[in-house]
Amino acid sequence: MPLLTGLTRGGKSWTPTFADAIDPEKCIGCGRCFKACSRKVLGPGDIYDEETDTERMVMTIVNSDNCIGCAGCGVTCPKKCFTFTTLEM
Ligand code: SF4
Ligand code: SF4
């Protein structure tokens, strides 16, 4: 199946990379990715932290169908939490 690709404004080929997962062990809940995403794909969630015996906030993917594959979230993340995937049609 062909890979979903697009064009830049200048006519160069571009392959969208969609947010696939956020590593909760790496995430520090800074919210930078949340602010960067224009598509409301991301939202806060809580995980239990065994080391501190407390809940802590991490970013999660709450609306993956809205992702346009811009990868802006990953660019802003200081902890390299994101993994991305391409899409076949
Ligand atoms: S790839 Fe773009 S649209 Fe998708 S979650 Fe990241 S910032 Fe939002
Ligand atoms: S930018 Fe990275 S570390 Fe910050 S909330 Fe998003 S995923 Fe977590």
Side-chain angles (χ1 to χ4, degrees):
M1 294 220 285
L3 191 65
L4 175 68
T5 58
L7 295 175
T8 67
R9 190 175 185 182
K12 292 183 179 169
S13 179
W14 173 68
T15 302
T17 51
F18 300 92
D20 194 37
I22 302 171
D23 186 337
E25 300 304 320
K26 291 182 182 174
C27 180
I28 56 172
C30 69
R32 287 181 185 152
C33 57
F34 180 82
K35 290 179 188 165
C37 181
S38 62
R39 303 288 299 175
K40 300 189 185 328
V41 175
L42 310 173
D46 292 318
I47 62 163
Y48 175 67
D49 188 332
E50 281 184 20
E51 274 185 31
T52 59
D53 191 26
T54 56
E55 298 263 312
R56 67 180 175 87
M57 196 278 277
V58 293
M59 201 55 64
T60 62
I61 296 173
V62 294
N63 198 0
S64 63
D65 284 355
N66 265 13
C67 183
I68 58 172
C70 71
C73 49
V75 172
T76 65
C77 179
K79 304 298 282 185
K80 301 191 185 323
C81 299
F82 283 85
T83 50
F84 293 91
T85 186
T86 53
L87 190 65
E88 291 189 355
M89 302 282 290

